[in-house]
Amino acid sequence: LVSHCNHFCASISSLRLYSGGDDGLVCSWDLSSRSLEACADAHSSAVTCVKPIGSSHVVSTSRDSSIQLLSHGGKAGLQSLQSLHTTEPIDTAIVLHGFCIGAGESGKLYVWKI
């Protein structure tokens, strides 16, 4: 697999790899065929974290101070479902019991019901 940028973060769910990079794209890759499935122009700055939720959703965070919830709709590709804008760049996130918890670079936590 070839990255779509100089720096990237990645997470694996089933036979799919999600990547995000400094170009603001969030992409999904089919691991069995080693091919790019889809990309979404999810952020206006570098993606800092991608976390799959089940087999068809992914949360991404970015230096643009946003958290995105994306859906992998098969042939429709990756589509943004919801976004949360914060007051600072978000370094990472976890998804737990229907909530996304994002950590800002100041240490402040952002909790979002998804």
Side-chain angles (χ1 to χ4, degrees):
L1 302 177
V2 178
S3 172
H4 50 99
C5 53
N6 293 328
H7 300 93
F8 78 102
C9 52
S11 192
I12 296 174
S13 174
S14 188
L15 289 176
R16 186 174 286 143
L17 177 132
Y18 291 100
S19 66
D22 57 6
D23 55 5
L25 294 176
V26 173
C27 298
S28 65
W29 305 80
D30 182 315
L31 293 177
S32 60
S33 67
R34 294 182 157 183
S35 62
L36 177 66
E37 289 183 315
C39 285
D41 192 8
H43 297 280
S44 61
S45 189
V47 177
T48 55
C49 181
V50 290
K51 296 286 184 181
I53 307 169
S55 62
S56 62
H57 293 86
V58 64
V59 167
S60 61
T61 64
S62 173
R63 304 283 312 147
D64 69 3
S65 304
S66 74
I67 301 171
Q68 295 283 336
L69 174 62
L70 301 157
S71 172
H72 194 284
K75 293 186 186 244
L78 284 169
Q79 299 176 333
S80 180
L81 296 177
Q82 296 178 14
S83 62
L84 171 70
H85 294 278
T86 65
T87 58
E88 64 181 320
I90 303 298
D91 290 331
T92 191
I94 60 169
V95 177
L96 189 64
H97 303 293
F99 290 91
C100 175
I101 303 166
E105 60 182 21
S106 71
K108 184 176 180 180
L109 296 177
Y110 297 87
V111 180
W112 182 29
K113 184 168 177 43
I114 55 175

